Amino acid sequence: VILDPRFKVDPTAGPVSDKLYGGFIEHLGRCIYGGLVDNPAAPSPAELLISQEDGTERTKGRAPWRKDVQKVLASDGELEIPMMRWPGGNYVSNYHWQDGVGPQALRPARIELAWLGTPETNQFGTDEFIDMCRANGWEPYICLNMGSGTYEEALAWVEYCNGTGNTHWANLRRKNTGRDEPHNVKYWGLGNEMWGPWQVGNLGATAYATEARRWAHGLKLVDPTIKLVSCGETGWSDWDREILQALVPFIDLHSIHFYSMLGHSTDSDVAGYEYEKNVFGPAAAERAIEITKSLIDLANIDNTFRGIPARDVKIAFDEWNVWDTDKAPGEIGLEQIYDYTDMLGVVAWLNILVRHHKDVAVACLAQSVNVIAPLMTTPDGICRQTTFWPLKMFGKYMKNGHLITLPSMPDAYDGPSYPVFIQQTNLAPRYVDMVCMAAEEEGKTSIRLSVLNRHPTVDWPADIDFAAFKLDKVQVTEVYSDDLAATNTFAHPESVTPTTTEYTAVEWAARKHIVRKHSWQFIIFE
Ligand code: AHR
């Protein structure tokens, strides 16, 4: 493999954006209550006072912030998350934002219809979310309730957040926050998974398109600077085709969701751990991105014939992850204990998102804490799951640079996969999967290379020549485990962690480097 500055891909495409590493917090299980803030039902008044030490006003209610968690999730924290999607997910389709603003003691508890029908206390609402975004450097991304919510409520929510005039909802925000400045929320989702029969108020594609177009018109009148995200499905569905045909002139991004492995964990047998499906399953996301991009192009072509100008609509992959309910104890399979194989699956995902950064403007890992998340909590502490490590390396290093073309790898996987159509293409995933980026920082070049060897039994002799870049040293961070089922738990928090080794350029040139079977390396040349 030869890395050469002449192989830079499309320098006009813009650098790889940090928005590929967005997060998602939903009012679901222990994500918000227990994860981001203390469970309002749990702490004693004395504990509330201790949690208020950071001095911010919004923590003075019944749901104090968990600073240990935010230290990890902040844009300048370990995971460097730049953007946060909220409040759902399925939850949003029965969420009425006015329940979650104003004095916390007066907020109504409501029945939550998306999941277990548990009461929602509304102690964490719009102003708490925005304050948390500000404190952690997250760009807020709010999803609107198109299930039980009304058009009028949606217009009012945008005015509440972004209004600067002397108007009712903007003034209510001023009263509630004690500040004049708007929340300035740029990203707004037009509903969540409205195609799904489980979604409160789910709609057919034609009905959704008509409604979403009406909402888009009004929302952009309230604030023309917002970016609207249409509700897509997987990207390869007829829903996506119809929605894009109807909405491309009115939207800025199109959302797609996909969880590799979801519900397909019992019918394979590699050491009992579903190895192939897990590490090759994300290939479906690559097809999803390519197909969505084509559907956007097609809608633009059709519109052009009708005299409607083309729009540069991007993809928001705003729910993605490896998810296997069998590895998640509990009623609805939310708190997945991620194992070593899942970590390899997450690397496959990250390689894909970076490879397609030109089309994917936003991606949000679902979710950020406790619920299918890289970070778990107890009231007393946190645990970094296996999947934490690639997220950390990509979030820190794989941004603000231009892609370098790599040769295509020879050995393709042709075994079972989900969805099956992946097998029907000539784009079968390779055993060795890589993505590479060159970054310039303070006048210095550095190359960042993610190498995933998915072969279950064969090491890859990685002959990587970076001499053309004239750099001095190489840092190899490897995550490897012999045990595909190894997990990090509160009892054993460091079963799967990275190790880092450094070489001079001279040592590297003389070295026979190996990327071991079923392992991942993140290599920095600088
Ligand atoms: O992230 C968990 C759930 O998965 C979300 O609420 C929903 O949008 C998706 O089906």
Side-chain angles (χ1 to χ4, degrees):
V1 174
I2 296 176
L3 306 180
D4 190 303
R6 288 172 303 165
F7 303 162
K8 259 191 207 170
V9 179
D10 196 357
T12 60
V16 175
S17 164
D18 64 349
K19 289 204 175 55
L20 293 181
Y21 311 116
F24 170 37
I25 49 174
E26 177 169 5
H27 291 245
L28 168 56
R30 296 192 308 123
C31 178
I32 294 195
Y33 302 114
L36 282 166
V37 298
D38 289 334
N39 185 338
S44 69
E47 285 166 319
L48 290 180
L49 287 175
I50 293 164
S51 295
Q52 289 169 14
E53 269 173 3
D54 74 339
T56 59
E57 289 194 345
R58 303 305 310 172
T59 63
K60 285 185 184 153
R62 293 175 55 228
W65 294 12
R66 285 200 60 147
K67 282 173 267 168
D68 52 352
V69 171
Q70 282 151 71
K71 254 191 191 156
V72 173
L73 303 184
S75 64
D76 60 355
E78 282 181 72
L79 288 182
E80 301 197 18
I81 293 179
M83 168 183 249
M84 197 56 85
R85 179 171 179 255
W86 172 83
N90 297 338
Y91 170 77
V92 77
S93 294
N94 183 46
Y95 177 61
H96 298 279
W97 69 269
Q98 287 163 50
D99 291 341
V101 297
Q104 283 166 311
L106 301 181
R107 296 184 192 174
R110 299 276 188 203
I111 185 168
E112 176 283 301
L113 298 181
W115 298 96
L116 293 170
T118 44
E120 163 60 47
T121 62
N122 280 304
Q123 296 302 294
F124 189 89
T126 304
D127 300 326
E128 288 78 22
F129 173 61
I130 295 299
D131 283 351
M132 202 173 266
C133 285
R134 293 238 170 98
N136 293 307
W138 300 330
E139 169 99 45
Y141 170 12
I142 292 183
C143 189
L144 294 162
N145 174 3
M146 287 194 73
S148 65
T150 65
Y151 185 22
E152 203 179 355
E153 271 177 277
L155 298 179
W157 204 358
V158 174
E159 183 194 322
Y160 182 88
C161 288
N162 295 357
T164 51
N166 183 15
T167 60
H168 175 76
W169 296 111
N171 285 337
L172 183 63
R173 181 199 69 237
R174 292 184 181 101
K175 182 171 163 224
N176 287 340
T177 63
R179 301 189 301 255
D180 181 44
E181 58 178 331
H183 290 340
N184 204 12
V185 178
K186 288 288 166 229
Y187 290 83
W188 293 87
L190 290 163
N192 179 73
E193 296 184 359
M194 292 303 295
W195 46 271
W198 56 86
Q199 202 70 211
V200 171
N202 66 87
L203 295 168
T206 311
Y208 170 79
T210 306
E211 194 67 355
R213 190 165 39 201
R214 222 160 62 89
W215 285 38
H217 172 247
L219 293 164
K220 288 227 176 179
L221 290 176
V222 178
D223 182 351
T225 70
I226 59 175
K227 290 179 189 293
L228 288 177
V229 187
S230 55
C231 168
E233 194 182 332
T234 47
W236 60 68
S237 74
D238 210 44
W239 169 282
D240 292 285
R241 190 194 54 74
E242 182 166 349
I243 299 313
L244 284 165
Q245 283 286 327
L247 292 185
V248 154
F250 309 99
I251 54 167
D252 303 280
L253 298 108
H254 180 71
S255 138
I256 54 176
H257 294 176
F258 182 66
Y259 295 90
S260 51
M261 291 271 295
L262 179 65
H264 291 264
S265 58
T266 52
D267 55 351
S268 170
D269 58 359
V270 180
Y273 297 118
E274 284 269 306
Y275 177 81
E276 274 85 357
K277 275 192 183 173
N278 205 343
V279 300
F280 294 111
E286 190 140 26
R287 293 295 284 139
I289 293 166
E290 289 159 353
I291 292 167
T292 307
K293 169 68 181 132
S294 298
L295 291 175
I296 293 168
D297 287 348
L298 186 62
N300 270 325
I301 290 166
D302 286 352
N303 287 335
T304 310
F305 281 121
R306 288 186 282 144
I308 301 167
R311 280 175 65 83
D312 187 16
V313 169
K314 300 286 191 201
I315 296 166
F317 216 131
D318 55 20
E319 286 188 30
W320 72 266
N321 207 343
V322 172
W323 186 0
D324 181 351
T325 49
D326 291 356
K327 295 178 188 170
E331 202 168 341
I332 38 181
L334 296 176
E335 300 207 2
Q336 177 162 351
I337 308 300
Y338 285 98
D339 63 23
Y340 176 75
T341 305
D342 298 321
M343 186 281 298
L344 298 175
V346 164
V347 172
W349 265 104
L350 289 165
N351 281 0
I352 289 166
L353 293 172
V354 171
R355 199 149 48 232
H356 292 276
H357 79 100
K358 199 174 161 188
D359 299 318
V360 181
V362 163
C364 302
L365 177 78
Q367 298 190 3
S368 296
V369 55
N370 284 334
V371 172
I372 41 173
L375 189 68
M376 301 301 286
T377 70
T378 63
D380 306 321
I382 59 176
C383 173
R384 293 163 184 79
Q385 297 229 53
T386 58
T387 55
F388 184 90
W389 302 110
L391 291 161
K392 177 176 172 172
M393 294 302 282
F394 273 77
K396 188 168 187 55
Y397 295 110
M398 206 57 110
K399 61 191 180 191
N400 304 328
H402 287 94
L403 296 191
I404 299 284
T405 311
L406 298 168
S408 73
M409 290 289 115
D411 298 323
Y413 168 74
D414 63 359
S417 66
Y418 169 79
V420 283
F421 75 80
I422 295 302
Q423 292 162 277
Q424 295 161 357
T425 72
N426 57 357
L427 299 167
R430 294 337 202 211
Y431 278 100
V432 173
D433 186 65
M434 294 186 280
V435 71
C436 182
M437 193 198 81
E440 309 286 334
E441 271 167 18
E442 293 162 8
K444 280 187 66 185
T445 302
S446 101
I447 314 298
R448 290 103 195 244
L449 175 69
S450 162
V451 193
L452 173 64
N453 180 3
R454 297 183 267 205
H455 205 289
T457 54
V458 180
D459 295 345
W460 183 54
D463 184 5
I464 302 167
D465 175 349
F466 68 104
F469 276 99
K470 301 197 179 359
L471 300 170
D472 305 325
K473 61 175 187 191
V474 184
Q475 189 190 74
V476 179
T477 299
E478 181 192 50
V479 183
Y480 179 79
S481 168
D482 274 332
D483 178 5
L484 295 176
T487 55
N488 291 343
T489 59
F490 282 93
H492 302 283
E494 296 192 346
S495 305
V496 177
T497 50
T499 52
T500 298
T501 317
E502 292 205 349
Y503 306 94
T504 64
V506 175
E507 287 167 335
W508 182 263
R511 191 180 154 70
K512 296 232 171 303
H513 191 70
I514 293 289
V515 180
R516 291 193 265 182
K517 64 182 180 183
H518 61 71
S519 79
W520 172 60
Q521 292 185 5
F522 195 92
I523 309 181
I524 301 177
F525 304 89
E526 55 189 7

